[in-house]
Amino acid sequence: MNARRVAGVVLGVGVLLSLVAGVAVTALGVRVEGTSMAPTLQQGDRILVAPGSAGEARRFDVVLLRATGRDALLVKRVIGLPGDRVAVVSTPEEPFQVLLQEGGRGPVYRVVAPQWTAQARRTGACCAPDGKRSARPGMRTVPEGAFFYLGDNPDLSDDSRRYGWGDIGRVEGRVGLRAFPVTSARDVGNRPVLEAYGGPGP
């Protein structure tokens, strides 16, 4: 087989593999609708779920879930796990401070995510006993089998503050990677971190 024919075969296989990958992404990928996870995920991005991750919630992962009483798929970030205590404290100076006490004991931390700081402008408090918005901030314990979730674009996200605690059993999977657009980073990124909180308790 001469070099030209070998190059043609390699090119043909490459094109075929690209077509198969494109079909797989279209068939298996989930298209992001809306801007509630911007800038982490944008309208039109296609994401793939990590195999075997249904029914799991790990802190700060981005997951696909179905909210209680709602059949549509949501893409949100896990914040609080069963037994954690969570709150959202808002002031005109700092409109979106997410507080977390891991396992309901020990120090209270502030959950820090640059994407929140850059976008949060509306004030609001959380949480009521069901995990929804409240008139005043309050540390609430995440029930067994549940989790607290938020969008990365807090002013434009319908999340636990609207729907209440998420049901771990309704998690369809962890977002493993971004498959489209191909020019974007594969890793979802923008993972929050915990830092010491010295402010007043809610």
Side-chain angles (χ1 to χ4, degrees):
M1 186 178 291
N2 62 34
R4 182 174 294 178
R5 182 170 292 180
V6 169
V9 170
V10 170
L11 180 61
V13 170
V15 169
L16 181 60
L17 289 175
S18 296
L19 288 172
V20 169
V23 169
V25 167
T26 302
L28 302 176
V30 176
R31 186 177 189 274
V32 175
E33 302 289 347
T35 58
S36 72
M37 281 297 292
T40 307
L41 295 170
Q42 302 287 352
Q43 168 89 20
D45 284 0
R46 283 198 173 269
I47 51 179
L48 296 176
V49 170
S53 61
E56 295 180 359
R58 302 188 309 191
R59 193 180 329 281
F60 302 150
D61 277 354
V62 176
V63 296
L64 284 175
L65 72 141
R66 297 188 187 275
T68 304
R70 181 181 166 95
D71 194 50
L73 270 177
L74 305 178
V75 184
K76 303 295 176 185
R77 190 176 295 278
V78 177
I79 303 298
L81 299 174
D84 290 347
R85 297 177 72 224
V86 295
V88 177
V89 177
S90 297
T91 66
E93 294 77 26
E94 294 187 81
F96 195 70
Q97 295 183 88
V98 180
L99 305 184
L100 173 72
Q101 185 181 44
E102 296 178 290
R105 296 186 301 273
V108 174
Y109 294 98
R110 181 177 176 181
V111 182
V112 178
Q115 62 270 24
W116 295 347
T117 306
Q119 299 179 103
R121 299 290 180 267
R122 300 177 189 167
T123 58
C126 187
C127 299
D130 59 1
K132 296 180 182 179
R133 284 186 179 89
S134 54
R136 291 190 297 182
M139 293 290 285
R140 299 294 181 180
T141 302
V142 181
E144 192 64 33
F147 66 104
F148 183 72
Y149 60 94
L150 296 169
D152 278 4
N153 188 358
D155 285 359
L156 298 177
S157 177
D158 288 335
D159 42 46
S160 280
R161 294 170 296 164
R162 176 172 180 181
Y163 301 119
W165 309 119
D167 181 347
I168 293 177
R170 289 174 66 86
V171 172
E172 304 243 331
R174 173 172 48 87
V175 175
L177 56 86
R178 182 190 351 250
F180 182 85
V182 294
T183 54
S184 297
R186 298 285 145 261
D187 181 47
V188 175
N190 283 340
R191 196 172 182 87
V193 296
L194 298 176
E195 74 174 25
Y197 176 70

